[in-house]
Amino acid sequence: MFQYVITVEPLGLLYGSAGAFLSPANLVGRAGRRFPPDAPTLSGLYYNGASEALRRELGEKLHLAGPFWAEQEDPLNFYVPIPWTRVVGEDSSDEWTIADHHWQRTDPDLKPAYRWQPINSWKAPLRNLQKNQARKDPWQFVPALHPHLKDDERCVPEQDGLFLENAAQMCPGTCLVYLASHPLSAGWYRFGGESHVVQIGCRDLPERSKAMALLAEPIDRAFALLTPGIWGSNRFSLRHPQHPDFPKPVLMLTEKPVPFRYRIAEQLGRGRYAVPAGSVYVLSQPLDQPWRDWNSDWFPREGHSYKRWGCGLALPLEIEGLQTLQGV
């Protein structure tokens, strides 16, 4: 399904705001923070300038997944979220295990300090992550004041005329990464909110790469999400697929839900809550198939199937004590 790695290198700042509100103590609107952009944001670049025939093909077959990030010199070994079963602190680490049908760990007070790990180290021992492979977010937020001008005058409106954007600045030598089913021409594009300029690169994802081998590996009874998981209907956001063929989760490790919304062809999708990337599922029965072969009916549809946006992209996970849940 995924044959290409799309890199996004900012030429300056990127848009990192979400929502907006007007502070009662300040007349300057202040935005929330949300970064990096989800996979649907990238899809607009494919449609820009595409022929009608190509648009129809993209509408049926384009699959994207992300966001991830990488060192610019090694984009194929991109960084993915660390599963919640692994807690990597500044000076020590810990791991959730299963005992008597419950989660347990030896150092419950340890807080995660690192969020990302290279995909090629997905099965590496925890001690290796803690030493030299785990990374923090490679970006920082920079407040930037944007005046909203009147349509017919070069002056700020009397109300809500100022907007404090939370721009995002990538660390030197890093870039955002997305997986794609279709190639994208390299070049400069306007990307995301406020249309900041970025340089797009496109590389083949070799069939014999470690990432491809992992993505093709069947999931047994435990997996971790690499991207947000959106389940349920237009009315209800749920924590796992509701299809009768999807095994019942018996244990989960997750955090509070994250908002997920996209805009395509000037149409804004319905806002949803997603299970955050890094969440871990333990199932009652083996799935015996990789994410790419999951039934499309397991994913919500809103015009497009959410599987096209890499919803809940998952990799198999080994958890100590999982065998004690046999027969559930």
Side-chain angles (χ1 to χ4, degrees):
M1 175 181 294
F2 298 118
Q3 303 179 49
Y4 302 94
V5 170
I6 308 298
T7 58
V8 179
E9 300 177 25
L11 302 178
L13 301 175
L14 284 175
Y15 190 68
S17 294
F21 65 88
L22 188 65
S23 168
N26 194 326
L27 293 180
V28 178
R30 184 183 297 272
R33 294 178 176 181
R34 180 169 173 77
F35 192 82
D38 291 311
T41 306
L42 185 67
S43 66
L45 305 187
Y46 281 86
Y47 287 89
N48 186 26
S51 64
E52 190 61 33
L54 179 56
R55 285 173 175 262
R56 285 196 296 271
E57 178 184 336
L58 294 175
E60 298 173 357
K61 299 179 180 178
L62 176 64
H63 283 75
L64 301 172
F68 311 114
W69 69 273
E71 308 286 350
Q72 291 180 3
E73 296 180 350
D74 191 14
L76 298 184
N77 188 21
F78 51 89
Y79 284 77
V80 298
I82 298 175
W84 283 102
T85 47
R86 293 181 157 191
V87 182
V88 184
E90 292 286 0
D91 302 314
S92 61
S93 58
D94 195 12
E95 192 160 11
W96 289 94
T97 60
I98 298 175
D100 298 328
H101 291 208
H102 292 87
W103 293 110
Q104 68 172 18
R105 49 184 287 202
T106 57
D107 187 3
D109 294 328
L110 180 66
K111 303 297 182 184
Y114 296 89
R115 182 185 172 197
W116 303 88
Q117 70 169 87
I119 185 137
N120 290 352
S121 303
W122 182 255
K123 296 185 178 181
L126 180 58
R127 60 180 178 277
N128 290 356
L129 289 184
Q130 207 270 323
K131 283 183 177 178
N132 51 19
Q133 295 180 335
R135 295 288 186 273
K136 298 180 180 178
D137 290 343
W139 57 77
Q140 59 181 356
F141 290 98
V142 180
L145 191 60
H146 279 261
H148 283 212
L149 302 180
K150 294 181 179 179
D151 295 336
D152 55 350
E153 298 180 50
R154 299 293 294 174
C155 62
V156 176
E158 296 180 357
Q159 185 174 5
D160 300 342
L162 294 177
F163 179 76
L164 188 61
E165 173 192 353
N166 288 310
Q169 183 178 37
M170 296 287 295
C171 294
T174 64
C175 60
L176 298 179
V177 165
Y178 299 83
L179 304 181
S181 59
H182 289 61
L184 184 61
S185 299
W188 290 6
Y189 293 81
R190 293 192 177 278
F191 179 73
E194 300 295 322
S195 298
H196 290 285
V197 179
V198 300
Q199 179 169 310
I200 294 292
C202 180
R203 294 173 181 247
D204 291 339
L205 184 58
E207 189 66 33
R208 294 186 177 180
S209 65
K210 288 186 178 179
M212 283 291 277
L214 278 170
L215 291 169
E217 190 171 318
I219 291 171
D220 190 42
R221 294 184 57 197
F223 63 85
L225 301 185
L226 302 188
T227 60
I230 302 97
W231 318 111
S233 65
N234 287 349
R235 295 184 58 194
F236 299 107
S237 296
L238 303 174
R239 297 204 299 175
H240 59 85
Q242 301 300 299
H243 195 278
D245 290 345
F246 190 85
K248 178 183 177 182
V250 292
L251 289 175
M252 282 187 65
L253 272 180
T254 187
E255 265 284 354
K256 63 180 181 180
V258 294
F260 186 94
R261 199 172 200 183
Y262 65 86
R263 179 188 297 274
I264 294 180
E266 303 301 325
Q267 294 185 348
L268 187 62
R270 186 181 181 90
R272 304 227 189 186
Y273 284 104
V275 180
S279 297
V280 173
Y281 289 73
V282 177
L283 305 176
S284 59
Q285 301 294 330
L287 275 171
D288 291 331
Q289 55 184 320
W291 177 91
R292 67 184 184 186
D293 294 336
W294 287 12
N295 190 337
S296 296
D297 292 339
W298 297 356
F299 299 84
R301 295 188 65 89
E302 190 175 292
H304 306 285
S305 167
Y306 273 63
K307 190 175 184 181
R308 291 189 53 199
W309 313 130
C311 167
L313 179 63
L315 287 182
L317 194 64
E318 297 179 359
I319 302 174
E320 182 180 337
L322 177 61
Q323 66 278 7
T324 64
L325 289 175
Q326 292 292 341
V328 173

